[in-house]
Amino acid sequence: MKKKLGVFLFLLILFIGFLAIRFFVMDKQNSNGQLKVLVSPSASVFMDNVAVGKTPFEDKFKVGEYLLKLIPEGNATDTASWQSKIKIYKNTRTYVNMELGSSDISTSGEVFTSVKMTTPVKSGYGEVMVETEPQGAIVYLDNDEKGVAPVKLENVLKGDHEISVFMSGFFRRTQKINIDPGYQVNAKFKLAIDQSQTPKVEEKKTATDEASL
């Protein structure tokens, strides 16, 4: 009897150990998130100053905050690099879409993440948090003006929507998003200056200049 009990306890311990190891491995695997990067022109991708690939780029990373840096490839010598802090969330995708310009003020794009909400929300709805660089851009959801960034859009029905941001003197940015029930989409837009709308300052002629005419 004691022998049978000992075998039973041994098997029980093995079973519990198996479950614990399986849970640990699965939890470790599920502690990752995805990163997708699209850039025009193509660029090398660095995460915390470590080269991880070239665009278009997609891979899994551990949950956490990283410094993402994009360096133009090849002959794009007149194109500036870009870098920013991004966050990788568990079981979700961080989406980066950038159009690199000749300088920071002519570079534009957006970074999107989706995070499970911790506060109760109506069934079938989610939220969108919109930020812009520079701040103060007008935010539109499905062509309806919703406010000035930064702004949180609450009770957004699940499904596909269109987010657009605009500020005078800058190019408009528009992106399609998908709202999952109970999730908040964090949308960060970087606006590029529209130099065609930048007022030109005429140089004042001095008395010496006029005398030489």
Side-chain angles (χ1 to χ4, degrees):
M1 183 68 181
K2 290 183 178 180
K3 186 176 181 180
K4 290 183 178 180
L5 182 60
V7 172
F8 173 76
L9 290 175
F10 176 73
L11 293 176
L12 181 62
I13 292 172
L14 284 179
F15 179 70
I16 294 174
F18 170 76
L19 290 179
I21 293 173
R22 184 179 179 184
F23 176 80
F24 174 78
V25 172
M26 290 184 65
D27 185 68
K28 189 174 182 180
Q29 290 176 343
N30 291 334
S31 64
N32 293 331
Q34 280 192 317
L35 171 65
K36 183 174 183 178
V37 184
L38 300 178
V39 182
S40 177
S42 60
S44 297
V45 181
F46 293 78
M47 293 284 277
D48 286 342
N49 295 317
V50 176
V52 294
K54 299 178 181 180
T55 58
F57 175 84
E58 187 167 6
D59 204 351
K60 292 182 179 180
F61 290 89
K62 291 182 179 179
V63 170
E65 185 177 74
Y66 297 84
L67 176 64
L68 171 66
K69 188 171 185 178
L70 305 174
I71 299 180
E73 285 195 291
N75 299 322
T77 55
D78 59 342
T79 305
S81 60
W82 175 84
Q83 67 179 30
S84 178
K85 289 287 185 69
I86 63 167
K87 289 185 177 181
I88 303 295
Y89 293 95
K90 185 176 180 178
N91 297 331
T92 62
R93 173 185 287 175
T94 297
Y95 172 73
V96 180
N97 178 54
M98 298 300 299
E99 295 179 15
L100 303 179
S102 58
S103 64
D104 184 67
I105 62 172
S106 59
T107 293
S108 61
E110 44 274 332
V111 178
F112 287 94
T113 57
S114 183
V115 184
K116 182 74 174 177
M117 296 172 59
T118 56
T119 55
V121 64
K122 290 195 301 183
S123 177
Y125 288 81
E127 295 181 348
V128 185
M129 181 65 199
V130 184
E131 299 179 70
T132 61
E133 180 188 340
Q135 294 185 2
I138 302 173
V139 178
Y140 299 85
L141 177 66
D142 299 329
N143 294 320
D144 290 332
E145 185 176 330
K146 294 297 183 180
V148 175
V151 62
K152 179 185 286 188
L153 311 181
E154 300 178 336
N155 297 322
V156 181
L157 186 64
K158 68 178 181 180
D160 295 330
H161 297 272
E162 184 179 85
I163 290 284
S164 182
V165 296
F166 174 75
M167 176 182 283
S168 179
F170 294 82
F171 289 105
R172 180 188 293 267
R173 295 293 302 182
T174 302
Q175 272 290 344
K176 298 283 188 180
I177 63 170
N178 181 269
I179 299 295
D180 290 321
Y183 279 80
Q184 175 178 292
V185 173
N186 297 318
K188 296 182 179 180
F189 290 87
K190 186 182 186 312
L191 303 180
I193 194 168
D194 183 357
Q195 296 183 350
S196 67
Q197 296 187 29
T198 303
K200 296 181 179 180
V201 179
E202 295 184 0
E203 295 183 1
K204 294 183 179 180
K205 295 181 180 179
T206 64
T208 305
D209 293 331
E210 292 180 350
S212 63
L213 295 178

